[in-house]
Amino acid sequence: MIKQFLNVFIRDWLLTIRNGLLWFVLIFLLLLIIMVRFVIPEQIELTEEQYITDLTEQKQFLGFMQQKGMSESEIIADEETLDEMMSKNKNAFGIVIRDRNERTEITIKSHGEIAERNINLIKASFNSMIRMMEGRTNYSLIKFRVLRENIPIIPLNKSFIPVFLIFEIIVLGFFFIAVQVFDEKMEGSVNTYRMSPSGTINYIMSKNLVFLILGIIYGLSFILLTIGSGINYLYLFILLILGLSFMTILGLAVAVFFKNLSEWFAMGMFVMIIVMLPTFSFMYPVFAPPYITYIPSYIMIFTAREIIFPSGNESMIHMNLLILFIETIIIYFIAHILVNKKIMKAG
Amino acid sequence: MIKVENLFHDYEGKKHYAVNDVSFNIEKGEIFGFLGPNGAGKSTVQNIMTGILKKQQGKVLYNNKPIEKMGKSFNNRIGVSFEQPNIYLKLTGYENLKYFGGLFNVRTEDPMKLLEKVGLKDEANKRTANYSKGMKQRLGFIRSIMNNPEILFLDEPLAGLDPNTASGIKEIIKEMKKKGVTIFLTTHNMFVADELCDRVAFINEGKIITEDNPRNLKLKYGKQSVKIETGKGDDFKTEVLFLENEEDKEKFDRIMKEKHLQTIHSQEATLEQIFIKLTGRGLV
Ligand SMILES: Nc1ncnc2c1ncn2[C@@H]1O[C@H](COP(=O)(O)OP(=O)(O)O)[C@@H](O)[C@H]1O
Ligand SMILES: [Mg+2]
């Protein structure tokens, strides 16, 4: 059994690395790394901009912040002006402080989505600010600047990383396995496999393993070269395994219905666009139709972000990986039935 | 050993049968041939027998066990060579054999030795995309005997090979028979059928026309045939006439009267001539 699997695997591995497309992906990966590291700016300059309106009776925050060196241009007298300023500067965000029911309420306004991590940072900054104002902490230890330096949203260039990562998973998994299946169908070599005692499980799992290895090498080096250390690589590894498995097996389940790339094209592209939709949702949070969360790549991309830019929500990672695992098992069973019917038998 | 009963196959579900009520038996250790022109249904029958094509109607039994109950391990016991070489073009000849042999649970032959057998040793490490058609075909053939099969299926094993290579392959087929391998072979070449087959079935338009030992067929149908050459000088025409056939008999009498006869031999008819006689069409 193991011997059979190894044989199928080595064969599939050779077939894959002898395919020119692989170099195409490698070049593509290098381009992405260059883009992230050198082309896309770290931040759009205005991201740093923030407008603060202090509507509390005592204006104690305002005074404190001014005292700590906040620039005048960032302090806005009322909320309407703040909204107006913000509408002129899409990258700025606003903070409104007001009294409500004897408590201080802090509202953060922004055009896009703010990562939970950043919200947490703002909260933490205000907490420490309040503690400082109350004299509970040593002033010199925590400066107000801390708030400003940490708030900027994830650097622009890096915010694309989860998208690129998921993109790689989709192309390597979904598309490449289809190419390999069509090669086998066209040269007829799949007939030969049919006449061996090795069956469906080896057929699926060996191809899966090939693209898993390649995808993991590509994915890990991409993250290592753009993000570097400091993230949980175990989570990333598991996400890559599940994401790539899901996409390759899905790719296989679709490819079995077609003879070659041109027959596959319309359907293949359709499925690829569907699985890419969540990346739009990620980049433009306004685009969030309710069905989108059911597309497995939605989970992949938001899990990838949480892993790469942790906001401390580990239970979300655990939950999502579990869901992905279950989805992968389900797609395996579907693919198994289809491969049995359509690959292991002719016409 | 192998029993095929009332096999039908309709590819498109339009009641257009590529295989139409085919029945035959193959005894252990014999070479059983299907002789018929292109499109007769030979490959379809082989593909149903090997389990590659889903059986629609009829029975295929191996020692009375139906093909659909054989399971994947049955593939350890059979060897299949297709009409197309069906090899991995990105792999070398050696790799093609190595990674195929590795799929079996039984002892397999050394790929290098097999390649040597069909004169591919020097090209063993070249990718098969660069092989000629004949080389690919030899590779596809030799692959089928890797696992020392009990039953061998050969779909047009000699088609398109030069005479030298063809005779090499024929020797291997005879060798396999000597080892007791049961062989099913399809061909549209009467010489192949004549030379190799213990029994041959004529197949045309999905139907078996007749089936017997080639020698018996020739005795049965070709007994009273004459080969005549008619015409003048170098401008002559060769014809075979079956004298028990009314039409041929009349033609023979006419030629005798017209005196353009050059030579006349009583002769054994070839399988193709018999095929033409029985079906009204040739083998190509
Ligand atoms: N995959 C297929 N789909 C539809 N028709 C087919 C297919 N394969 C073969 N046929 C048809 O079935 C008939 C028998 O073909 P085949 O078994 O290949 O004949 P042979 O091997 O004797 O040349 C032919 O008419 C052929 O066109
Ligand atoms: Mg054929």
Side-chain angles (χ1 to χ4, degrees):
Chain A
M1 192 65 203
I2 298 279
K3 186 197 89 169
Q4 272 183 342
F5 180 77
L6 275 179
N7 256 279
V8 186
F9 169 72
I10 296 172
R11 184 203 66 197
D12 282 343
W13 178 259
L14 290 175
L15 292 173
T16 308
I17 57 169
R18 286 178 192 173
N19 190 333
L21 275 173
L22 201 66
W23 296 102
F24 174 79
V25 174
L26 188 64
I27 291 165
F28 189 72
L29 177 75
L30 288 175
L31 276 177
L32 285 186
I33 293 172
I34 291 169
M35 263 189 20
V36 168
R37 297 208 56 152
F38 305 111
V39 181
I40 307 176
E42 277 208 13
Q43 309 176 357
I44 291 176
E45 238 171 284
L46 297 172
T47 324
E48 273 222 48
E49 208 122 359
Q50 57 193 17
Y51 303 116
I52 297 183
T53 302
D54 187 349
L55 301 174
T56 56
E57 233 168 83
Q58 267 124 53
K59 305 247 184 270
Q60 44 182 331
F61 289 94
L62 203 60
F64 184 81
M65 286 186 246
Q66 275 170 322
Q67 187 192 326
K68 287 289 159 197
M70 185 149 197
S71 95
E72 292 291 332
S73 64
E74 291 172 328
I75 297 165
I76 312 298
D78 56 82
E79 201 170 349
E80 288 80 48
T81 323
L82 179 129
D83 288 345
E84 202 179 296
M85 299 285 287
M86 278 188 64
S87 69
K88 280 189 212 143
N89 183 351
K90 298 279 183 206
N91 291 295
F93 59 94
I95 298 172
V96 182
I97 308 161
R98 61 162 73 82
D99 292 321
R100 187 172 305 241
N101 305 333
E102 319 217 326
R103 302 188 63 179
T104 307
E105 186 193 77
I106 298 166
T107 312
I108 302 163
K109 295 183 165 188
S110 104
H111 292 287
E113 187 197 26
I114 302 183
E116 204 163 335
R117 171 171 172 262
N118 293 317
I119 296 172
N120 289 339
L121 271 171
I122 296 173
K123 274 191 211 157
S125 301
F126 271 94
N127 279 336
S128 61
M129 195 156 51
I130 290 162
R131 279 200 302 273
M132 283 191 279
M133 289 189 298
E134 289 171 350
R136 276 199 255 138
T137 312
N138 188 341
Y139 278 53
S140 58
L141 276 181
I142 303 168
K143 291 189 179 139
F144 184 64
R145 294 295 303 176
V146 174
L147 172 70
R148 294 195 49 200
E149 276 160 13
N150 279 298
I151 280 176
I153 306 176
I154 297 163
L156 181 72
N157 57 344
K158 298 203 167 153
S159 67
F160 286 111
I161 289 175
V163 179
F164 292 161
L165 185 74
I166 299 310
F167 189 73
E168 183 244 5
I169 288 178
I170 292 172
V171 172
L172 248 175
F174 187 81
F175 177 65
F176 272 51
I177 198 163
V179 171
Q180 194 169 86
V181 167
F182 299 141
D183 270 354
E184 286 183 345
K185 283 188 176 181
M186 275 196 286
E187 66 194 7
S189 48
V190 65
N191 282 314
T192 304
Y193 185 76
R194 287 168 180 154
M195 289 334 301
S196 80
S198 179
T200 307
I201 298 178
N202 285 346
Y203 185 86
I204 300 177
M205 291 315 285
S206 125
K207 291 197 190 317
N208 183 27
L209 184 60
V210 168
F211 294 109
L212 213 52
I213 291 176
L214 287 172
I216 287 172
I217 294 175
Y218 279 22
L220 287 186
S221 33
F222 178 53
I223 300 300
L224 264 172
L225 292 172
T226 50
I227 298 283
S229 58
I231 66 163
N232 189 329
Y233 274 93
L234 179 66
Y235 284 151
L236 184 66
F237 187 67
I238 298 173
L239 174 69
L240 282 169
I241 289 182
L242 294 174
L244 284 158
S245 295
F246 183 88
M247 290 313 304
T248 46
I249 297 173
L250 175 70
L252 186 59
V254 173
V256 299
F257 290 99
F258 305 96
K259 278 202 194 74
N260 51 48
L261 265 189
S262 41
E263 274 186 21
W264 169 90
F265 197 79
M267 186 59 180
M269 279 301 151
F270 176 72
V271 177
M272 264 172 108
I273 287 169
I274 296 284
V275 290
M276 297 247 184
L277 277 184
T279 60
F280 294 114
S281 198
F282 178 84
M283 289 189 285
Y284 309 102
V286 228
F287 174 72
Y291 57 80
I292 202 136
T293 54
Y294 295 107
I295 303 173
S297 47
Y298 181 88
I299 288 186
M300 290 180 208
I301 193 161
F302 283 90
T303 313
R305 186 183 65 182
E306 182 60 30
I307 293 171
I308 298 168
F309 308 112
S311 74
N313 197 349
E314 281 203 27
S315 60
M316 180 260 248
I317 298 180
H318 296 161
M319 189 63 197
N320 284 355
L321 291 179
L322 181 70
I323 294 172
L324 257 181
F325 176 72
I326 293 167
E327 285 172 339
T328 306
I329 302 271
I330 293 171
I331 196 74
Y332 178 86
F333 279 108
I334 295 171
H336 189 100
I337 292 167
L338 291 174
V339 168
N340 242 345
K341 270 201 162 152
K342 304 226 155 229
I343 299 272
M344 292 301 139
K345 292 243 182 255
Chain B
M1 177 186 204
I2 307 173
K3 242 191 212 136
V4 173
E5 286 173 11
N6 309 106
L7 201 63
F8 288 83
H9 196 85
D10 175 6
Y11 278 104
E12 275 144 3
K14 289 180 187 156
K15 302 260 171 241
H16 183 276
Y17 289 98
V19 176
N20 196 337
D21 201 8
V22 161
S23 305
F24 59 93
N25 290 330
I26 307 179
E27 302 302 327
K28 187 166 169 32
E30 77 171 340
I31 302 185
F32 184 88
F34 255 21
L35 178 67
N38 242 336
K42 305 182 294 295
S43 301
T44 308
V45 172
Q46 169 167 324
N47 289 339
I48 297 170
M49 290 172 78
T50 57
I52 229 182
L53 202 57
K54 200 169 168 6
K55 184 169 62 68
Q56 294 176 343
Q57 193 184 332
K59 283 185 188 161
V60 176
L61 305 165
Y62 292 92
N63 292 324
N64 291 318
K65 195 173 168 189
I67 170 85
E68 55 272 29
K69 295 238 169 76
M70 298 305 276
K72 270 274 160 196
S73 67
F74 178 54
N75 288 344
N76 281 311
R77 298 168 46 202
I78 66 173
V80 181
S81 149
F82 302 91
E83 205 168 352
Q84 305 297 328
N86 292 346
I87 51 183
Y88 291 96
L89 298 174
K90 288 198 183 80
L91 300 184
T92 66
Y94 177 80
E95 287 164 343
N96 260 285
L97 294 184
K98 182 168 193 294
Y99 299 118
F100 184 66
L103 301 178
F104 290 90
N105 311 108
V106 291
R107 192 182 66 81
T108 50
E109 297 292 330
D110 173 27
M112 243 7 189
K113 280 195 187 134
L114 291 172
L115 288 165
E116 195 170 1
K117 246 184 166 159
V118 290
L120 288 174
K121 197 181 169 204
D122 292 340
E123 343 286 329
N125 295 316
K126 279 194 195 139
R127 290 204 196 163
T128 59
N130 304 319
Y131 280 20
S132 70
K133 204 163 163 265
M135 287 158 72
K136 285 178 187 160
Q137 212 171 331
R138 277 181 271 162
L139 183 64
F141 169 79
I142 205 72
R143 185 187 55 207
S144 68
I145 65 169
M146 278 200 94
N147 55 322
N148 301 295
E150 289 165 43
I151 308 168
L152 191 55
F153 294 88
L154 303 173
D155 198 351
E156 309 264 6
L158 303 163
L161 292 179
D162 65 83
N164 248 343
T165 325
S167 76
I169 303 257
K170 271 189 247 168
E171 284 318 304
I172 300 174
I173 296 175
K174 286 176 188 166
E175 220 174 273
M176 298 300 285
K177 181 186 150 67
K178 261 189 218 140
K179 284 191 201 162
V181 179
T182 307
I183 301 173
F184 176 83
L185 175 155
T186 81
T187 181
H188 62 261
N189 182 321
M190 61 164 176
F191 297 111
V192 174
D194 208 352
E195 182 178 349
L196 290 175
C197 297
D198 296 306
R199 280 189 308 132
V200 59
F202 285 6
I203 180 166
N204 189 39
E205 293 176 355
K207 288 192 176 128
I208 291 185
I209 309 300
T210 187
E211 171 210 312
D212 208 334
N213 175 299
R215 191 180 138 74
N216 287 347
L217 284 174
K218 285 185 282 193
L219 285 176
K220 192 151 89 193
Y221 296 99
K223 221 179 194 169
Q224 300 193 40
S225 74
V226 289
K227 183 172 161 192
I228 51 177
E229 286 173 357
T230 54
K232 283 175 190 151
D234 286 344
D235 180 27
F236 62 88
K237 199 170 111 193
T238 308
E239 242 180 304
V240 174
L241 299 173
F242 295 88
L243 296 183
E244 82 265 42
N245 178 324
E246 270 310 305
E247 225 176 281
D248 283 10
K249 177 85 170 45
E250 271 170 36
K251 194 167 184 187
F252 181 75
D253 292 341
R254 208 167 56 236
I255 289 167
M256 293 303 274
K257 271 185 221 142
E258 285 168 6
K259 293 177 190 161
H260 291 311
L261 195 65
Q262 285 196 337
T263 64
I264 176 164
H265 298 285
S266 79
Q267 66 134 36
E268 211 181 35
T270 64
L271 291 180
E272 175 155 29
Q273 286 157 354
I274 300 167
F275 194 95
I276 294 170
K277 178 180 168 177
L278 294 177
T279 65
R281 63 157 299 170
L283 286 169
V284 275

